[in-house]
Amino acid sequence: MKLILKILPALTILACSNNNGDIQIDDEPNSKTTTILTLTNSSSISGTPFSKPREAIIFENNLYTINDSETFKYDFGTNTWETINTNSSSVANYPYLEYNVSFIRDNKWHIINENALWAFDFSTNNWTKIKQFTDNKLGSPIGVYSDESLYIFSDLSNKVYKYDFETNTIAEHSTFDKKSNYGQLTKSIFKIEDTYYFTKLSGYDKISIYKWIDNFAQFELLNEYQSNFIAQGSGFVFKDNIIFGLGGQSSVDENGNMASFQLNDEFYYYNTTNNEFKKIENSFYEGRYVSLPIKHNDKFYLIGGQTITNNEVIYKETLDLIDFEFIESQ
């Protein structure tokens, strides 16, 4: 009798009676609901009057971008492009293994590459060279403008530099433990709240996430992830997640014909809260690399880039909208 009393409460919870009064036990566990970050839309929303964009930025709700010789302005409201400068040569590098640091300072668009620092005046639509570099410290520069200071480094060396805007000079800020470099995303610095993160390829199919710490002096390795080839890919910040993906490369033979290529159409993400990686559900509508990522009003865009069709490199002349959403799934 004592044994029966002990198990009756459990039977009350787990069992029910049929019409004959017999006890039936439901042995199926409750299904768990999981939340999955999903790519819910990827589509072209506009053609562009250029190919091979080199840099882009948002200013006063307009998109500005530059290619090898011209600067363009895009109006989100009217979905129209305007050429606003035709003398933009040497301002920015094409982000295929070469990079730029782009930022707004004193209401001007600044771009620093390995050769010079430039500033764009939005009121006159003119570029001015602020500083020419001759010692080539900044091969393929990566960096961030924060609290009126510019911190830059090259993953080809082990030094972080600080740019002094009062004297227009560069001084060594720190040294760090340099790791092997297998390429970058077109933009590899991400800010979430007050923390800056740096992503780099530590293998042809592995990405590493670092936190930029100690007043931009050192990099703390947080985690690594095996993925498809994502060099020259694109990335965004979505809530407390760093989204990264796409990417590719190609090579030609001695006759100029396509010899081999890699092309990725998938995205992944790193959650900065739980230090975990996951793959994003659904793929982009095509493999793409060297696209410039832009975020505006909590929407994500890709400008231009390259894809490969029938063994031929195609330079995209599109502005694409991408939507990400957390979706519950059982």
Side-chain angles (χ1 to χ4, degrees):
M1 179 63 70
K2 291 182 180 179
L3 179 61
I4 294 175
L5 289 175
K6 287 183 179 178
I7 66 173
L8 277 177
L11 291 175
T12 303
I13 297 173
L14 297 175
C16 60
S17 299
N18 61 18
N19 293 333
N20 297 324
D22 297 330
I23 293 177
Q24 295 179 326
I25 297 178
D26 183 5
D27 58 359
E28 297 220 356
N30 292 329
S31 58
K32 289 185 177 181
T33 300
T34 58
T35 302
I36 301 174
L37 185 54
T38 303
L39 191 157
T40 57
N41 171 62
S42 59
S43 59
S44 172
I45 61 170
S46 172
T48 63
F50 56 84
S51 63
K52 302 180 72 173
R54 298 188 171 197
E55 197 55 72
I57 206 163
I58 298 291
F59 182 74
E60 293 184 347
N61 290 316
N62 292 306
L63 168 63
Y64 294 82
T65 188
I66 181 173
N67 66 359
D68 61 338
S69 61
E70 297 175 305
T71 304
F72 307 88
K73 176 182 177 181
Y74 175 75
D75 187 315
F76 287 94
T78 61
N79 192 27
T80 55
W81 291 90
E82 177 185 1
T83 303
I84 57 175
N85 184 287
T86 57
N87 188 25
S88 307
S89 300
S90 304
V91 173
N93 289 326
Y94 187 56
Y96 196 131
L97 304 180
E98 296 184 317
Y99 309 103
N100 317 281
V101 182
S102 172
F103 55 97
I104 299 292
R105 172 182 163 84
D106 295 335
N107 289 321
K108 293 182 179 180
W109 182 14
H110 289 70
I111 296 178
I112 188 170
N113 59 45
E114 62 189 18
N115 299 311
L117 172 66
W118 295 79
F120 181 77
D121 190 326
F122 293 100
S123 63
T124 63
N125 290 335
N126 288 324
W127 287 100
T128 301
K129 185 188 291 186
I130 304 299
K131 177 72 174 181
Q132 180 76 41
F133 306 127
T134 57
D135 50 11
N136 199 29
K137 295 178 180 178
L138 305 175
S140 298
I142 302 167
V144 62
Y145 179 72
S146 176
D147 294 329
E148 301 298 317
S149 297
L150 174 62
Y151 300 92
I152 40 183
F153 67 97
S154 170
D155 210 33
L156 302 177
S157 72
N158 65 339
K159 299 182 185 299
V160 177
Y161 297 93
K162 185 176 180 179
Y163 190 90
D164 188 326
F165 288 94
E166 295 297 324
T167 61
N168 282 322
T169 57
I170 294 177
E172 184 178 322
H173 180 61
S174 69
T175 59
F176 61 93
D177 183 18
K178 180 182 174 296
K179 305 295 184 182
S180 297
N181 179 30
Y182 291 82
Q184 304 287 351
L185 304 177
T186 54
K187 290 296 175 183
S188 54
I189 301 293
F190 302 90
K191 182 182 181 183
I192 298 179
E193 296 183 352
D194 294 325
T195 301
Y196 287 89
Y197 299 87
F198 167 51
T199 64
K200 66 172 290 181
L201 270 70
S202 48
Y204 289 112
D205 56 355
K206 184 170 67 173
I207 191 167
S208 299
I209 305 288
Y210 294 83
K211 184 187 293 186
W212 206 348
I213 61 173
D214 297 341
N215 189 30
F216 302 99
Q218 299 296 322
F219 298 95
E220 175 189 348
L221 177 62
L222 299 176
N223 207 345
E224 297 180 322
Y225 182 74
Q226 298 289 137
S227 68
N228 289 341
F229 188 87
I230 56 172
Q232 293 78 240
S234 304
F236 305 96
V237 168
F238 179 63
K239 299 182 179 179
D240 58 350
N241 304 282
I242 298 172
I243 293 174
F244 59 94
L246 304 183
Q249 66 177 4
S250 62
S251 63
V252 297
D253 60 22
E254 58 185 9
N255 298 317
N257 299 317
M258 181 76 68
S260 65
F261 68 87
Q262 292 176 287
L263 197 60
N264 179 36
D265 61 0
E266 295 182 333
F267 282 96
Y268 315 85
Y269 70 100
Y270 169 77
N271 183 274
T272 58
T273 301
N274 61 27
N275 194 32
E276 292 182 354
F277 291 91
K278 290 184 179 179
K279 182 176 177 294
I280 291 178
E281 289 293 308
N282 299 335
S283 301
F284 192 62
Y285 69 82
E286 65 179 3
R288 183 86 66 86
Y289 59 111
V290 208
S291 288
L292 295 181
I294 282 289
K295 183 178 181 180
H296 176 58
N297 287 342
D298 293 324
K299 293 185 177 181
F300 304 98
Y301 301 88
L302 287 175
I303 311 169
Q306 300 174 204
T307 190
I308 297 173
T309 302
N310 296 326
N311 285 332
E312 180 181 357
V313 174
I314 305 297
Y315 294 97
K316 302 291 293 189
E317 297 182 357
T318 58
L319 175 66
D320 295 280
L321 174 65
I322 307 178
D323 294 321
F324 298 100
E325 183 181 350
F326 278 104
I327 296 178
E328 291 187 350
S329 177
Q330 290 186 346

